C-alpha cells in the first residue's frame, strides 16, 4: 500500500469547507487561510493516528 493511500484528503477538505462555512455564517466573511491551516493540521493528525494505529495493529 502506497503512502498516498493513507492521506486524509477528503477529511481535510471536509474540515476546510466546514470551517469556511461556519466563519461565513457566523461572521459574514470567510477566512480561507485560517481554514486551510486548520485543515492541514487536522489532516496531519489523522495521518499520524492512522500510522500509529496501523503499527499498533501489526504488533
Amino acid at each position: 500500500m502506497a503512502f498516498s493511500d493513507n492521506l486524509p484528503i477528503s477529511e481535510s477538505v471536509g474540515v476546510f469547507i466546514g470551517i469556511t462555512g461556519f466563519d461565513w455564517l457566523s461572521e459574514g466573511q470567510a477566512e480561507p487561510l485560517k481554514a486551510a491551516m486548520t485543515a492541514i493540521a487536522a489532516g496531519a493528525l489523522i495521518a499520524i493516528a492512522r500510522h500509529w494505529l496501523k503499527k499498533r495493529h501489526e504488533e
Side-chain angles (χ1 to χ4, degrees), residues 2-3 5 10 15-19 24 28 36-37 40 43 47-48:
F3 175 72
D5 292 342
S10 60
V15 169
F16 175 78
I17 291 172
I19 291 174
W24 182 56
M37 296 302 291
I40 291 170
I48 290 168

Side-chain angles (χ1 to χ4, degrees), residues 4-6 9 15 17-18 21 24 27-28 34-35 37 44 47 49-55 58:
S4 63
D5 292 342
N6 292 326
I9 294 172
V15 169
I17 291 172
W24 182 56
E27 299 174 6
K34 180 180 84 170
M37 296 302 291
R50 285 181 182 172
H51 179 72
W52 181 70
L53 288 172
K54 183 179 176 184
K55 286 277 193 183
E58 289 177 352

Side-chain angles (χ1 to χ4, degrees), residues 1-47:
M1 181 180 282
F3 175 72
S4 63
D5 292 342
N6 292 326
L7 290 178
I9 294 172
S10 60
E11 292 91 340
S12 298
V13 170
V15 169
F16 175 78
I17 291 172
I19 291 174
T20 305
F22 182 77
D23 282 347
W24 182 56
L25 288 173
S26 65
E27 299 174 6
Q29 63 183 5
E31 296 182 32
L33 183 60
K34 180 180 84 170
M37 296 302 291
T38 307
I40 291 170
L45 287 174
I46 292 169

